[in-house]
Amino acid sequence: MKIMNKKMGWNFLGLAVTAFGGLGIEVLYAFLLEPLLFGAQMGSWSDGQSIAHWILTCATWGGIGVWLVRSARKNYSLDILSVRENLQAWQWAAVLVLVAASVVIQYLDWGGFKPLIEYQRLGAVLFLFQYLYYAFETVLFMMIIVFGQKACELWLGHEKIPYGGLICGLTWGLGHILSKGGLLIGLHGLLWGIMLGAAYLVVNKDIRKAWVVLFVMFVL
């Protein structure tokens, strides 16, 4: 049984890594493919080109998300869409605490209320597509949490520990260190991932509820 759990754990970790790699495809679009197509680097794109980038990225991420869900169900008998759980009062309270904490962190990080700042910077149309992009981004980093959590539970047990959030934080934090530079940004990503992983556990691994909570935590 331990050998089987170890092997299955690697399979689920592979799905988590695939989700992380899916997020990284945007880098190829933004810095290789689209500059060739648009004749300009990202910072010089028109509104239409930015929207085209977001639509292409969302389509890619959506396709990867569907593939991950189907692959887990078909190959490893894990139907993550089958979980539907009612939450107790303490769980709703915990969700509110996590959301409030995320709002504070985002406010300090952005120097203000993130959605308002982005709306003022982007305008209504770009803001809409930007947040559509965030919605699909949430799908993939949630997949990192879901499958990373499953892998570590098979290896280590203790289902109340947010392993998936730690894996999300390590991958996402590393990505932010490489893309934005700075250890502090990476540590912020690690903390953020752990909070997101805790939220996933609080809603009993019901990914419909988890997606809503994680999206709200991410955008606020």
Side-chain angles (χ1 to χ4, degrees):
M1 181 63 70
K2 289 183 178 180
I3 294 175
M4 182 180 296
N5 284 350
K6 184 175 181 180
K7 180 179 179 181
M8 288 297 292
W10 285 112
N11 291 333
F12 288 121
L13 183 63
L15 294 179
V17 171
T18 299
F20 176 61
L23 289 170
I25 290 177
E26 184 193 13
V27 176
L28 300 179
Y29 290 162
F31 294 101
L32 293 176
L33 176 63
E34 289 166 325
L36 292 175
L37 294 175
F38 299 156
Q41 297 299 316
M42 181 186 291
S44 302
W45 288 349
S46 67
D47 288 356
Q49 289 169 337
S50 295
I51 290 172
H53 166 76
W54 286 326
I55 291 174
L56 175 61
T57 302
C58 287
T60 301
W61 287 347
I64 292 172
V66 170
W67 181 86
L68 287 168
V69 171
R70 290 180 175 176
S71 179
R73 182 172 59 236
K74 178 180 178 181
N75 298 323
Y76 312 121
S77 300
L78 177 65
D79 186 359
I80 63 175
L81 293 174
S82 67
V83 180
R84 292 177 179 269
E85 295 283 346
N86 294 321
L87 303 186
Q88 299 178 26
W90 74 266
Q91 291 172 298
W92 286 115
V95 167
L96 291 176
V97 169
L98 287 167
V99 170
S102 71
V103 170
V104 172
I105 292 172
Q106 293 277 50
Y107 188 92
L108 294 175
D109 189 37
W110 282 72
F113 188 51
K114 177 183 174 182
L116 179 59
I117 292 172
E118 291 195 306
Y119 183 85
Q120 292 172 339
R121 176 170 58 88
L122 296 171
V125 175
L126 288 182
F127 178 85
L128 176 63
F129 280 97
Q130 172 84 80
Y131 276 67
L132 176 66
Y133 163 92
Y134 287 156
F136 280 87
E137 186 173 8
T138 302
V139 170
L140 281 198
F141 72 69
M142 182 177 68
M143 293 292 107
I144 297 175
I145 294 170
V146 170
F147 295 122
Q149 182 71 31
K150 185 64 176 179
C152 290
E153 286 177 0
L154 288 172
W155 292 330
L156 305 172
H158 306 292
E159 296 184 2
K160 301 302 181 183
I161 298 176
Y163 303 114
L166 179 61
I167 292 172
C168 180
L170 289 171
T171 53
W172 208 4
L174 176 61
H176 280 75
I177 289 175
L178 295 176
S179 64
K180 298 183 179 180
L183 179 61
L184 185 61
I185 294 175
L187 292 175
H188 175 272
L190 177 60
L191 173 62
W192 193 255
I194 293 172
M195 288 177 59
L196 296 172
Y200 169 64
L201 296 183
V202 165
V203 299
N204 295 326
K205 304 177 183 176
D206 182 336
I207 68 166
R208 293 172 179 82
K209 293 183 179 67
W211 178 87
V212 173
V213 174
L214 299 187
F215 176 72
V216 170
M217 291 175 67
F218 184 40
V219 301
L220 294 185

